[in-house]
Amino acid sequence: MSEPMIPLSIAVLTISDTRDEQTDRSGQALVERLTAAGHSLYGKRIVPDDVYRIRAVVADWIADPEVQVVLTTGGTGFTGRDSTPEAVSVLLDKRIEGFGELFRHLSWQEIGSSTVQSRCLGGLANATVVFCLPGSTGACRTAWDGILIEQLDSRHKPCNFANLVVPERGQHV
């Protein structure tokens, strides 16, 4: 890769009724990985698993022209309080159907059939790419190491999501 990577501004949202900054291992794993890859952390927040609070934070970040990527962790399962897909999906202009499919394929190799309970999703909204990941630290590592590290790298060929959110690349419309 001869051209330099274009660093992206990434916001991280942890959705949890029980985590705080001291116990949020999944959010911290995402922050460590994105900064190690050369991206910048726009901001990190933790909100309870409440559809309207999740939606408010994600909508604010989508509306902010400084944010190019939103990563959420948590709330993608099937328990009564898991509501991230319901909160975020209505904000998306386009869904990235292959993201959930590829994540579950990679996850299958680690946790077997339990991966069918993952309702992770990805999409594009207002020239911001959004990925909603499960709450486990292992799942966040799987998503970053197996998908996001390449798809958020402007040098990755034949295509990547970085080129959709960087205005000077001309593909973000």
Side-chain angles (χ1 to χ4, degrees), residues 141-162:
R141 288 185 192 121
T142 296
W144 183 270
D145 298 346
I147 305 169
L148 298 177
I149 193 166
E150 289 182 346
Q151 284 299 302
L152 298 179
D153 187 331
S154 58
R155 303 167 296 182
H156 182 73
K157 305 293 183 206
C159 59
N160 59 73
F161 289 111

Side-chain angles (χ1 to χ4, degrees), residues 25-45:
R25 293 188 326 266
S26 297
Q28 190 56 42
L30 290 172
V31 169
E32 289 168 3
R33 278 171 161 67
L34 75 88
T35 55
H39 300 293
S40 64
L41 178 66
Y42 174 84
K44 181 182 178 301
R45 294 202 40 203

Side-chain angles (χ1 to χ4, degrees), residues 53-86:
R53 293 182 70 185
I54 297 165
R55 189 175 294 154
V57 173
V58 174
D60 282 347
W61 282 341
I62 289 169
D64 188 331
E66 297 296 315
V67 178
Q68 296 167 304
V69 179
V70 174
L71 301 177
T72 76
T73 174
T76 62
F78 277 97
T79 68
R81 296 273 302 156
D82 289 328
S83 57
T84 301
E86 290 77 17

Side-chain angles (χ1 to χ4, degrees), residues 96-117:
I96 304 167
E97 300 297 340
F99 176 73
E101 295 166 1
L102 180 54
F103 174 81
R104 284 182 285 279
H105 169 75
L106 295 172
S107 182
W108 163 263
Q109 299 165 14
E110 297 172 10
I111 64 170
S113 66
S114 294
T115 194
V116 301
Q117 293 195 29

